[in-house]
Amino acid sequence: YQYLSRYKQKENLDHFTFVPGRIEGTEKECLACLMEFCQRSNPSWTELSNFTRFLNFQLKKCEKSVFCSTVVGGEFSGF
């Protein structure tokens, strides 16, 4: 939710760092955001779960990537 809400507000994610345990927004806002980005007209809980797991997996890989690090990231802005 931290990434999606910032992306939706067109914030620069290059300088954002995910903070585990940080509570942002309400449950209702989080669910609405997930449903918007899931892009299914009426997603089931299983579809939302699969979407969030896949997104979480991809974001973790991105955070660990040398190309997205603050050291090298300046050379690849927006990567």
Side-chain angles (χ1 to χ4, degrees):
Y1 176 75
Q2 292 178 26
Y3 277 102
L4 293 178
S5 64
R6 284 166 176 75
Y7 179 79
K8 186 177 177 180
Q9 296 172 17
K10 301 188 185 318
E11 290 184 26
N12 184 352
L13 296 176
D14 288 344
H15 305 290
F16 173 71
T17 303
F18 171 73
V19 179
R22 179 189 292 170
I23 298 174
E24 295 182 7
T26 65
E27 291 90 352
K28 187 176 180 178
E29 291 170 333
C30 180
L31 183 58
C33 186
L34 289 173
M35 290 181 69
E36 177 183 346
F37 282 97
C38 183
Q39 296 192 354
R40 303 280 300 182
S41 59
N42 190 15
S44 67
W45 283 111
T46 302
E47 290 170 322
L48 282 175
S49 176
N50 289 339
F51 170 71
T52 54
R53 287 178 194 208
F54 176 75
L55 181 62
N56 190 48
F57 176 79
Q58 294 297 319
L59 289 171
K60 283 183 179 182
K61 292 287 189 181
C62 180
E63 288 172 347
K64 292 178 183 177
S65 171
V66 67
F67 296 106
C68 298
S69 70
T70 55
V71 176
V72 180
E75 300 295 320
F76 299 99
S77 180
F79 184 70

